[in-house]
Amino acid sequence: MTMLHYRLDDPTRGAAHDLVASHLAAMHAGTPAESMHALDATGLSSTDVTFWSAWSDGELAGIGALKRWGDDRGELKSMRVADAFRGTGVGRGILRHILGEAATMGLTSVWLETGSTPEFVPAVRLYESEGFVRCGPFAEYRDDPLSLYFTRAV
């Protein structure tokens, strides 16, 4: 597994912004607009969202965010691994970092929405291997054949 250094970051600037833009482009390319729920850089800058970048030897390895839903729930948002780091454990590292931060914030559960098409299978496997279980739509989400919903206790 790649050694990572995490930092709070600004999704509207620099390498983190570039990876956010790449993530959005990939999501828009494979998902109809009504089924695409990734936040843009402005959304990731909201006061209810905490955004981290993960670095390896000075190179951006990935990003991830946690959106608070009230006092005790959070939603994983816009987790993305840079192409050069895919398959190296960066995604698992970012996920575990966010879950640890959620616990520090006093959250009791984390929720997420991801795609249901074949390109999302690695993400689904990661989430399930880290204890997430499928659930129904939550918050503003609605039933959508292109979405899967997960939750887990923190």
Side-chain angles (χ1 to χ4, degrees), residues 4 47-48 68 71 78 98 115 144 152:
L4 297 171
T47 58
D48 59 349
R68 287 193 74 135
D71 292 335
S78 298
I98 292 172
D144 184 335
R152 71 160 267 185

Side-chain angles (χ1 to χ4, degrees), residues 96-146:
R96 288 179 177 173
H97 177 77
I98 292 172
L99 291 171
E101 292 292 320
T104 299
M105 293 174 184
L107 302 184
T108 59
S109 62
V110 172
W111 303 70
L112 67 89
E113 178 276 336
T114 193
S116 64
T117 54
E119 62 268 25
F120 292 97
V121 167
V124 169
R125 287 184 181 144
L126 170 64
Y127 300 137
E128 289 177 337
S129 75
E130 290 292 326
F132 282 85
V133 294
R134 291 187 192 199
C135 62
F138 60 94
E140 79 279 358
Y141 295 104
R142 301 294 172 253
D143 280 323
D144 184 335
L146 296 179

Side-chain angles (χ1 to χ4, degrees), residues 32-74:
E34 65 274 9
S35 296
M36 210 281 291
H37 304 289
L39 294 176
D40 62 14
T42 301
L44 290 169
S45 299
S46 174
T47 58
D48 59 349
V49 176
T50 306
F51 178 85
W52 294 272
S53 56
W55 298 80
S56 176
D57 293 326
E59 189 175 352
L60 180 62
I63 56 171
L66 183 66
K67 180 176 183 175
R68 287 193 74 135
W69 288 103
D71 292 335
D72 62 350
R73 294 191 310 160

